[in-house]
Amino acid sequence: MRLDKFLKVSRIIKRRTVAKEIADKGRIQVNDRVAKSSTDVAVGDTLTIGFGNKTLVVRVDELVDTTKKNDAESMYTVIDQQSSTN
């Protein structure tokens, strides 16, 4: 599954276009490598996502094409979440 689609379906990022923009700016890493929006993700991959002053690290647990809001969180596990406030 493409990275931008995974981020949208899992509801980590609300819109696929926003996920694409963030990935294309080099703010997302898959397994410690900078990833583009078209990068394929697989079960077990680790995603590091930089949101301005917040960094989110998640592990991909499940890949599904569509999901309900309540089931979206089962697609990933949050490993680490850091905020850098000045």
Side-chain angles (χ1 to χ4, degrees), residues 3-4 7-8 10 12 14-15 17 21 26 29-30 35-36 39-40 55 59 66 72 76-78 86:
L3 175 61
D4 56 350
L7 293 171
K8 182 209 176 285
S10 66
I12 294 172
K14 299 231 188 281
R15 291 192 197 103
T17 53
E21 288 173 17
Q29 295 180 347
V30 176
K36 293 182 179 178
T39 300
D40 282 330
T55 302
R59 182 183 65 240
T66 60
Y76 63 93
T77 301
V78 176
N86 293 334

Side-chain angles (χ1 to χ4, degrees), residues 26-41:
R27 293 172 30 199
I28 300 177
Q29 295 180 347
V30 176
N31 298 328
D32 297 323
R33 289 189 167 150
V34 176
K36 293 182 179 178
S37 59
S38 60
T39 300
D40 282 330
V41 295

Side-chain angles (χ1 to χ4, degrees):
M1 176 180 285
R2 285 175 54 113
L3 175 61
D4 56 350
K5 183 170 183 181
F6 173 80
L7 293 171
K8 182 209 176 285
V9 172
S10 66
R11 291 176 171 76
I12 294 172
I13 297 177
K14 299 231 188 281
R15 291 192 197 103
R16 191 167 177 175
T17 53
V18 174
K20 183 179 181 339
E21 288 173 17
I22 291 172
D24 291 344
K25 289 180 181 176
R27 293 172 30 199
I28 300 177
Q29 295 180 347
V30 176
N31 298 328
D32 297 323
R33 289 189 167 150
V34 176
K36 293 182 179 178
S37 59
S38 60
T39 300
D40 282 330
V41 295
V43 173
D45 285 351
T46 302
L47 309 179
T48 305
I49 308 160
F51 296 100
N53 63 351
K54 180 174 134 183
T55 302
L56 181 66
V57 181
V58 299
R59 182 183 65 240
V60 178
D61 292 334
E62 184 181 11
L63 296 175
V64 292
D65 286 331
T66 60
T67 184
K68 293 189 163 111
K69 187 175 183 179
N70 296 338
D71 300 331
E73 287 188 15
S74 69
M75 293 180 66
Y76 63 93
T77 301
V78 176
I79 297 171
D80 190 21
Q81 191 169 359
Q82 300 172 346
S83 290
S84 57
T85 54
N86 293 334

